Structure formats: structure tokens, C-alpha cells
Amino acid sequence: MGVDFTVFTPTYNRAHVLGHSYEALKRQTNKEFVWLIVDDGSTDDTKTLVDSWIQENAISIQYIYQENAGKQRAVNTGIKNCSTAYFGFLDSDDYYLPTTIENFKKHFVEIQDNRRIAGVLARCGKPDGQILGNSHIPAGPFVMNFDALYRSFRFLGDTCRAYRTEILRHFLYPEIEDKFILESVMLSAIDQEYDLLIVNKPYSISEYLSDGYTHNSHQLYHKNPLGYALGISQITISRRGIHRQVKYTVMYTVWCHVKRLDRPFSQVKNKTMYVLAWPLSCICYFLKWPSWMFRNDAL
């Protein structure tokens, strides 16, 4: 099929774990891909390490360094510099299973004529192979909108995703001063317009780090209040049930008032729900719910 697939990894001071991703990519059964690494201003020896891998010439590697600007800008840089038709996400503390790229390519051939399908969603697993999250969904592959997947099966867990690059270019992250934005700003926006090919099998393995996003979420939100607000605003229009819409509308309203963000009404996606949920939002604000939003020690 030729080189039509990019494996994208944003990284920041992850030289100590990137080797897992590299070794796994060298073991791929299909090596016709480009590993695009966007280094978001690392101060460790990431560049030296990647340069040594480029010299090995075991796989095709494209390395881009940028001044530290946050993961979302690294993602935008990767998408803008991608020269292949398909774009797979691989975090710096994850690694692909040996047949992942072969499988992704096979799936894209299967869906190439259906322009309503934005990409492929597979599962993430633990190092022991167990799926992260609930596994009680059809084995697949099957086509479904992600919101419908959540409603039908109460889907939980991290995912391993690859998309048509041309679609991602229409959903780039907004350029704001905050260095962190919830993934929902991009991925949930895509879910509003497109379906996905769902595969209930692990295609990547996740090894969470103590200094990663997952373990420091509340601190990240407090340090990047607008980025978090934009993310939960997007969730307010997801089609995953009225209770979820109400919950995140209230959270959005409370957060904007706690953080004194400007123009909360103009930035919320679900304006009708914002107005209807206003009394409940006021009650939650005075009761200080969710409590972590009011905690100074979260920083």
C-alpha cells in the first residue's frame, strides 16, 4: 500500500520512556509508516536520542522541535505537517502491539468508500493485555457513532485511535494561551459529525506515569482554566444523555464563576441548557460542588 500512515507522538521530557514506543514500532509487521515526533520543548536528551534512532534507519522518523506551547499545539503541528492519508495517535508512554499498523491499514481499506466514517477506534490495554475499561461491547469491527456507543454500552476506557488526516485538519485545537486543552475539544467535535469503525480489541498498551496528564488532572485544570472550560463546554452538546448534558453544563457554569472567566454564555456550546440549568448551577456554586474546583491546594 505504500507509506500512507503516520504514527504521531507528542512528547515533553519523555526520553526515559520513548524507547518503549520505538522498540514496539520496530516490531511492527507492516513498516510502511512514518513516526512523526513533535517535541514540545523538551529539556532532556530527547533530541539526541531521536537523532540516534534516525541514524539507525530501522523505521522512518520525522522529528519536529518546537518551543514549549502545550500538547494541543503539538497535536496541531503534527496534523499540519502530516503528509500521509491516515494519522494514528500514540502517546509517549504508550506503545503499539506488533500488528497494530497492519490492522489500522486493513481497516482503512475496508472503510475507504464510506466518507461518513472519520477513523478507527480500538482499545488500550494494560501490559498484561487486559482491556482498560469495560469490555462488554460487540467484538467488532462495527460502525457506530461514539456517542451512540456510550449510550448503548456505557463505554468506558482509553482508546487507540487513527483518523483520516483530511478530517483532522478541519478540527484543529483553538490557539489560546493555556497550554492544556481537554481532548474533547477535538475528538468530541468530530464525534458530532462522523462515525467510527469500532474494534473491541487492544491495539496499544498504556503505561501511566506519575508525572503524566492522568495523574495530575486537577492541577492541570486549575493551571489552564480556559482550556478546561472549552473542553467541558464541548461535552455539553455530546449526545450521551440528558443527565450528562446537565452535569457538564453545571460544571461549566460553576467553573467559569470560580475562575472568573469572561463571557461564559458566549463560549458555552449548549446555550439552551446553560439557561435552563442556571438555578441548579447557582445552588451547586453556593454548595461548592464539585469541591475540587474550589480547592486552592489543588495547585
Side-chain angles (χ1 to χ4, degrees):
M1 290 180 58
V3 180
D4 58 357
F5 193 92
T6 290
V7 180
F8 166 71
T9 298
T11 189
Y12 175 71
N13 287 344
R14 289 291 188 271
H16 58 294
V17 295
L18 267 179
H20 294 291
S21 300
Y22 176 59
E23 293 299 326
L25 289 175
K26 289 199 298 182
R27 294 192 295 268
Q28 290 298 302
T29 54
N30 186 317
K31 291 186 172 60
E32 293 182 328
F33 65 90
V34 176
W35 189 20
L36 172 56
I37 302 170
V38 175
D39 185 344
D40 187 39
S42 292
T43 56
D44 61 5
D45 60 347
T46 294
K47 184 179 187 305
T48 300
L49 187 63
V50 174
D51 284 343
S52 70
W53 294 339
I54 293 174
Q55 291 301 313
E56 287 181 18
N57 200 31
I59 59 174
S60 177
I61 300 175
Q62 180 182 359
Y63 174 80
I64 299 174
Y65 179 89
Q66 66 179 29
E67 295 298 324
N68 181 251
K71 182 179 179 180
Q72 77 274 8
R73 287 192 179 87
V75 172
N76 285 353
T77 297
I79 294 170
K80 291 175 182 178
N81 285 274
C82 178
S83 59
T84 64
Y86 308 115
F87 189 98
F89 289 91
L90 179 65
D91 284 344
S92 57
D93 53 348
D94 296 348
Y95 58 90
Y96 279 169
L97 294 173
T99 59
T100 293
I101 292 176
E102 177 182 344
N103 287 332
F104 272 139
K105 287 193 170 195
K106 178 185 68 176
H107 295 316
F108 277 113
V109 170
E110 295 167 351
I111 65 174
Q112 63 182 345
D113 294 328
N114 190 336
R115 310 309 292 182
R116 287 292 310 158
I117 303 177
V120 181
L121 180 152
R123 308 300 297 273
C124 286
K126 300 177 183 178
D128 62 5
Q130 182 180 351
I131 286 178
L132 282 167
N134 62 344
S135 57
H136 304 299
I137 66 174
F142 60 96
V143 175
M144 183 175 279
N145 177 268
F146 186 81
D147 287 346
L149 182 73
Y150 180 91
R151 292 196 309 270
S152 299
F153 303 103
R154 287 297 180 262
F155 179 88
L156 295 172
D158 289 346
T159 59
C160 179
R161 301 191 186 206
Y163 287 87
R164 302 181 196 266
T165 308
E166 62 181 309
I167 290 177
L168 290 176
R169 290 197 175 106
H170 293 289
F171 292 90
L172 296 175
Y173 287 105
E175 295 290 336
I176 62 174
E177 290 186 8
D178 285 9
K179 291 186 177 181
F180 176 82
I181 297 178
L182 288 178
E183 287 184 344
S184 58
V185 172
M186 173 183 285
L187 300 185
S188 290
I190 295 174
D191 293 335
Q192 300 311 302
E193 299 187 28
Y194 293 93
D195 295 331
L196 292 167
L197 184 71
I198 312 295
V199 183
N200 191 27
K201 296 178 181 178
Y203 277 11
S204 67
I205 302 300
S206 294
E207 295 184 325
Y208 294 122
L209 304 174
S210 61
D211 59 344
Y213 286 134
T214 302
H215 282 83
N216 298 279
S217 57
H218 288 175
Q219 293 93 325
L220 277 171
Y221 303 159
H222 277 284
K223 292 177 181 177
N224 301 275
L226 179 56
Y228 181 64
L230 293 176
I232 54 178
S233 174
Q234 181 64 45
I235 297 173
T236 64
I237 63 169
S238 65
R239 296 161 294 182
R240 303 185 195 179
I242 188 66
H243 293 92
R244 184 179 173 88
Q245 289 182 332
V246 171
K247 174 184 175 181
Y248 280 93
T249 299
V250 170
M251 289 178 64
Y252 171 83
T253 306
V254 171
W255 181 254
C256 287
H257 284 277
V258 169
K259 292 301 179 181
R260 304 292 190 267
L261 296 179
D262 293 333
R263 306 186 308 278
F265 181 76
S266 65
Q267 293 174 356
V268 70
K269 297 282 186 177
N270 195 336
K271 290 180 169 54
T272 300
M273 183 62 69
Y274 180 89
V275 173
L276 293 176
W278 178 255
L280 180 59
S281 299
C282 291
I283 293 172
C284 290
Y285 178 79
F286 286 111
L287 292 177
K288 295 188 175 182
W289 180 91
S291 60
W292 67 265
M293 289 186 176
F294 297 82
R295 284 172 45 199
N296 292 326
D297 62 345
L299 291 170

